[in-house]
C-alpha cells in the first residue's frame, strides 16, 4: 500500500509540474484558451442562435454584407452567417473529436498488439501501418468517401480509418520498451494472459504518448473534414465550416467578393487547427527533454 | 553502397506496390456504381442480358482471376476508358501530367528554399523576437487549409487589386502572336496557384527545419566545435547543417511523391488543368475508371518517392549504413 501511495504522490507531483509548465508556456496556454472558447460556443451557442440549414431566408436577404440584423451578413440562401457559423462549430468539432477518437482506438490497438506480439504479427501489422502512412491521405479519403457516400458518419469513418498510422507507430515503439520492463515479466510469471497484460499493464504506460499524439491527430482531423466537405463530400443535411466554404466557393462568393461568407468559417478552422497545433508543439517541447533550452 | 540493402528496399517497394494494386482493385470492386448495377437500375435488362454483360467484363470469374486480368491489362497500359472523356484513361492522365509537374515543381523549390532559411534563422535566434515571428508565421501557414488560402489570394489579387487572372492556365479565346506571348500568359496564370502552394508548404518545411537544427545544436560535437574556437557561423554551416539536412531530405522526397494529393486543393480552386483537378472532376462526375487511374498513379508515385528517399538517406548518412539491417 505504502508503495502505491508514494507512486500516486509521485504521479500527482509530476502532473502538477506538467501543468505548471503548460501554464508557463504561452503557446500551450493560448491554444487551450482558444480551444475552450470554441468548445463552449459549440455547446451553448446554438441555444442562443437557433439555426436550421434547411430554412432559407427571404430573397432580399440574399448575400447581404454585414449590417444590423445580420452581424456577419447572409449567405446565398439568405441564411444568417453568424448562426451558420455557430451551428457549424458544433458539427465540425464533433466530427473532429469522433474521428480523432476512432484514430486513437485503432492506432492504440494496432500499436500495442504489434509491439507486444512481435515476430510475424508485428511484421504484418507494421507493413499495413507503413502502407497507410505512405498512401497520400487526401486522394485516399476522397476515394473512400466516394465509395461510402456522403454522410457525417462516413466522414468520421473515412478520417478514422486513414489517419491512425502515426499513432500506431508511436504506441508500438513505446510498447516495445514497456514490454521489456520487469513488472511485465513478473506479471507473466504469475500467469497473466497476453490480453490482460496489454490492457492493464501496457495500455496505462503508453497512454501519455497516446494523449500527446491525439492533439496533432485532432488538428489533422479538423483539416480533413473541412477539405473533404469543401471538395463536395460533406453531408448537405448538416451545417459545418467545410460545407459553408463549399457553398461559398460553388456559388462564386470568392470571385464576387462576398468576403463575409467565406472569411469567417476559414478563420474559425484556422483558429481551431492552430490551437491544436500550438498545444501539440508546446507539449512536444515540454515532453522532449532534448529540446529544452540549455 | 550495399547492394543487398538496396535490393531489400526494392523488394519492399514492390511488395507495397503489389498491395497498392490489390487495394485499388478491391476498393473499386465494392463501388456502388459498378457497370452491372448501373445497367440493371433501369429495370429493362433481362437476367440473361446481365449475365452476358458480366461475362463480357469478366465479372463472372473468381476474384483472383479478375485480379490477374486487371494486372495483365495494367501491364499493357490499359487502365480502362474514362466515362467522362470517352478516351483511354492513360491518355487523359498523360495530358495532365505536365501542368501539375511544372506548377508543383516550381512551388516546391521556392517552399524548400524559403522554409530552410526560415527554419535555420528561427533555430539560431531561438527565443528571440525574430524566432517568435517566424515560428508564428510558419505555424499559421501550416494550420491554414490550402484551398482557403487560395480563396483569400483570389479575393486580394483578383477581386480587389484586379492584377492577376482568376483561374485556368491560358486566357480563353485569346490568340497569341507568338509562343513567347503564350508563355507569358501561362506564367501570369501560374503566379497565384504557385504562391498558394508555396505558402502552403513553407510552414511544414520551416517547422521541421527549426526543430532539427535545434536538435543538432544540442549535440556534444557542436559544443566541442564551439570550444575549439570556431565562429558561430562556421559551426552552423559546416558542423550543424550537414546533419540538420537529413530529415529534410526525407520530407522533400515524400512531398515530391505527394504531387497529386498536394495539387488537388489548389488546382480545384484555380481550375489549373492538372492531375489534381482531374481527380476532383473524376470524383464529382463519378468517373470511376479515371478516378482509379489517378489514384493508382498518386499512390505509386509516393511509394517510389519513399524508396528514393531511403536510398538517398543512406547515401548521405553514413550512420545508417553502419547500423546494418
Amino acid at each position: 500500500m505504502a508503495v502505491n501511495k508514494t507512486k500516486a504522490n509521485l504521479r500527482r507531483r509530476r502532473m502538477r509540474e506538467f501543468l505548471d509548465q503548460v501554464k508557463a508556456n504561452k503557446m500551450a496556454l493560448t491554444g487551450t484558451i482558444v480551444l475552450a472558447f470554441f468548445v463552449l460556443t459549440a455547446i451553448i451557442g446554438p441555444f442562443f442562435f437557433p439555426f436550421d440549414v434547411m430554412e432559407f431566408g427571404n430573397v432580399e436577404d440574399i448575400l447581404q454584407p454585414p449590417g444590423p440584423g445580420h452581424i456577419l451578413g447572409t449567405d446565398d440562401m439568405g441564411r444568417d452567417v453568424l448562426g451558420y457559423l455557430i451551428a457549424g462549430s458544433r458539427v465540425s468539432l464533433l466530427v473532429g473529436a469522433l474521428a480523432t477518437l476512432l484514430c486513437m482506438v485503432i492506432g492504440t490497438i494496432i500499436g500495442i498488439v504489434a509491439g507486444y506480439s512481435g515476430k510475424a504479427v508485428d511484421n504484418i501489422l507494421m507493413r499495413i501501418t507503413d502502407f497507410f502512412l505512405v498512401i497520400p491521405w487526401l486522394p485516399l479519403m476522397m476515394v473512400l468517401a466516394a465509395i461510402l457516400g456522403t454522410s457525417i458518419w462516413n466522414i468520421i469513418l473515412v478520417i478514422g480509418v486513414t489517419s491512425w498510422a502515426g499513432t500506431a507507430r508511436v504506441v508500438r515503439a513505446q510498447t516495445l520498451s514497456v514490454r521489456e520492463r520487469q513488472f511485465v515479466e513478473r506479471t507473466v510469471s504469475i500467469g497473466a494472459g497476453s490480453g490482460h497484460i496489454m490492457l492493464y499493464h501496457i495500455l496505462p504506460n503508453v497512454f501519455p504518448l497516446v494523449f500527446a499524439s491525439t492533439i496533432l491527430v485532432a488538428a489533422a482531423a479538423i483539416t480533413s473534414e473541412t477539405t473533404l466537405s469543401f471538395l463536395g463530400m460533406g453531408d448537405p443535411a448538416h451545417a459545418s465550416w467545410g460545407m459553408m466554404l463549399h457553398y461559398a466557393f460553388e456559388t462564386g462568393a470568392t470571385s464576387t467578393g462576398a468576403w463575409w461568407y467565406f472569411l469567417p468559417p476559414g478563420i474559425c478552422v484556422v483558429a481551431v487547427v492552430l490551437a491544436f497545433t500550438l498545444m501539440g508543439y508546446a507539449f512536444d517541447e515540454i515532453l522532449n527533454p532534448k529540446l529544452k533550452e540549455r | 553502397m550495399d547492394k543487398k540493402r538496396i535490393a531489400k528496399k526494392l523488394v519492399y517497394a514492390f511488395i507495397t506496390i503489389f498491395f497498392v494494386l490489390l487495394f485499388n482493385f478491391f476498393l473499386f470492386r465494392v463501388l456502388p456504381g459498378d457497370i452491372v448495377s448501373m445497367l440493371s437500375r433501369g429495370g429493362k435488362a433481362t437476367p440473361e442480358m446481365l449475365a452476358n454483360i458480366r461475362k463480357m467484363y469478366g465479372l463472372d470469374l473468381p476474384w483472383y482471376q479478375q485480379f490477374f486480368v486487371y494486372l495483365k491489362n495494367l501491364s499493357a497500359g490499359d487502365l480502362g476508358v474514362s466515362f467522362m472523356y470517352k478516351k483511354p484513361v492513360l491518355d487523359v492522365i498523360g495530358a495532365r501530367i505536365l501542368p501539375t509537374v511544372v506548377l508543383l515543381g516550381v512551388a516546391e523549390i521556392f517552399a524548400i528554399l524559403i522554409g530552410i532559411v526560415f527554419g535555420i534563422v528561427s533555430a539560431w535566434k531561438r527565443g528571440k523576437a525574430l524566432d517568435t515571428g517566424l515560428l508564428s508565421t510558419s505555424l499559421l501557414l501550416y494550420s491554414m487549409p490550402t484551398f482557403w488560402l487560395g480563396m483569400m489570394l483570389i479575393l486580394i489579387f483578383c477581386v480587389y487589386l484586379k492584377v492577376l487572372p482568376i483561374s485556368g492556365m491560358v486566357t480563353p479565346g485569346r490568340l497569341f502572336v507568338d509562343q513567347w506571348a503564350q508563355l507569358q500568359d501561362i506564367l501570369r496564370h501560374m503566379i497565384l496557384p504557385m504562391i498558394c502552394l508555396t505558402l502552403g508548404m513553407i510552414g511544414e518545411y520551416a517547422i521541421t527545419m527549426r526543430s532539427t537544427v535545434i536538435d543538432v545544436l544540442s549535440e556534444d560535437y557542436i559544443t566541442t566545435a564551439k570550444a575549439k574556437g570556431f565562429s558561430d557561423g562556421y559551426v552552423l554551416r559546416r558542423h550543424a547543417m550537414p546533419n540538420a539536412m537529413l530529415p529534410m531530405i526525407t520530407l522533400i522526397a515524400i512531398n515530391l511523391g505527394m504531387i497529386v494529393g498536394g495539387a488537388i486543393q489548389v488546382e480545384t480552386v484555380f481550375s489549373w488543368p492538372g492531375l489534381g483537378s482531374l481527380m476532383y472532376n473524376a470524383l464529382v462526375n463519378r468517373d470511376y475508371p479515371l478516378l482509379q487511374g489517378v489514384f493508382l498513379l498518386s499512390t505509386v508515385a509516393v511509394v517510389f518517392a519513399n524508396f528514393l528517399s531511403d536510398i538517398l538517406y543512406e547515401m548521405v548518412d553514413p550512420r545508417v549504413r553502419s547500423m546494418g539491417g
Side-chain angles (χ1 to χ4, degrees), chain A residues 122-143:
Chain A
D122 182 26
N123 228 326
I124 292 168
L125 287 179
M126 279 304 110
R127 286 283 110 206
I128 297 174
T129 308
D130 280 350
F131 176 72
F132 274 99
L133 214 53
V134 156
I135 278 196
W137 61 277
L138 190 53
L140 178 64
M141 282 185 192
M142 283 167 75
V143 167

Side-chain angles (χ1 to χ4, degrees), chain B residues 99 167-171 182 185-190 270-273:
Chain B
S167 70
M169 197 164 79
V170 284
T171 313
Q182 189 177 8
D185 193 51
I186 292 176
L187 284 177
R188 257 172 64 79
H189 280 82
M190 208 174 108
F270 292 98
S271 309
W272 185 261

Side-chain angles (χ1 to χ4, degrees), chain A:
Chain A
M1 271 337 259
V3 176
N4 265 345
K5 209 173 168 192
T6 13
K7 236 176 135 185
N9 274 340
L10 193 67
R11 201 171 283 167
R12 208 169 302 141
R13 197 185 319 142
R14 263 201 222 135
M15 196 65 211
R16 205 177 308 130
E17 271 169 25
F18 178 74
L19 286 179
D20 282 344
Q21 273 174 315
V22 171
K23 253 183 259 168
N25 193 315
K26 276 182 212 136
M27 279 161 76
L29 197 63
T30 317
T32 317
I33 291 171
V34 171
L35 200 63
F37 169 76
F38 276 102
V39 171
L40 211 65
T41 310
I43 294 171
I44 60 170
F47 294 116
F48 295 101
F49 294 89
F51 180 83
D52 185 1
V53 210
M54 296 304 174
E55 200 177 294
F56 303 146
N58 302 321
V59 183
E60 65 269 20
D61 276 344
I62 284 174
L63 277 182
Q64 287 302 308
H70 299 288
I71 305 171
L72 286 178
T74 58
D75 71 356
D76 60 299
M77 292 292 179
R79 294 172 292 204
D80 183 47
V81 169
L82 183 63
Y84 203 152
L85 208 58
I86 291 170
S89 70
R90 202 174 249 197
V91 176
S92 291
L93 290 183
L94 201 66
V95 169
L98 290 177
T100 308
L101 188 71
L102 189 58
C103 276
M104 284 2 275
V105 172
I106 300 176
T108 309
I109 292 175
I110 292 198
I112 290 183
V113 171
Y116 188 75
S117 310
K119 299 194 192 93
V121 177
D122 182 26
N123 228 326
I124 292 168
L125 287 179
M126 279 304 110
R127 286 283 110 206
I128 297 174
T129 308
D130 280 350
F131 176 72
F132 274 99
L133 214 53
V134 156
I135 278 196
W137 61 277
L138 190 53
L140 178 64
M141 282 185 192
M142 283 167 75
V143 167
L144 284 178
I147 290 170
L148 293 170
T150 52
S151 91
I152 282 204
W153 301 110
N154 285 342
I155 290 209
I156 294 170
L157 193 69
V158 165
I159 299 174
V161 297
T162 51
S163 318
W164 51 267
T167 312
R169 288 237 119 187
V170 175
V171 171
R172 174 183 170 268
Q174 183 71 3
T175 306
L176 286 178
S177 93
V178 174
R179 192 184 63 175
E180 298 306 322
R181 294 204 199 138
Q182 271 197 344
F183 71 87
V184 174
E185 226 170 277
R186 285 188 204 136
T187 329
V188 173
S189 70
I190 56 170
S194 302
H196 175 89
I197 293 174
M198 285 192 256
L199 192 60
Y200 292 100
H201 299 281
I202 309 264
L203 184 62
N205 280 292
V206 299
F207 209 74
L209 263 164
V210 173
F211 177 70
S213 72
T214 303
I215 297 169
L216 292 177
V217 172
I222 300 269
T223 312
S224 305
E225 188 275 328
T226 313
T227 311
L228 282 178
S229 299
F230 173 74
L231 292 173
M233 268 148 293
D235 189 339
H238 290 90
S240 81
W241 294 333
M243 285 314 282
M244 265 180 108
L245 291 166
H246 170 71
Y247 289 129
F249 185 71
E250 288 288 295
T251 55
T254 325
S255 39
T256 53
W259 55 269
W260 59 89
Y261 192 1
F262 66 91
L263 224 53
I267 291 173
C268 288
V269 172
V270 173
V272 170
V273 174
L274 193 60
F276 277 123
T277 313
L278 285 178
M279 283 163 73
Y281 206 72
F283 285 164
D284 196 36
E285 294 225 332
I286 294 169
L287 295 172
N288 187 352
K290 216 177 170 188
L291 292 177
K292 267 190 200 143
E293 206 110 27
R294 287 205 170 179

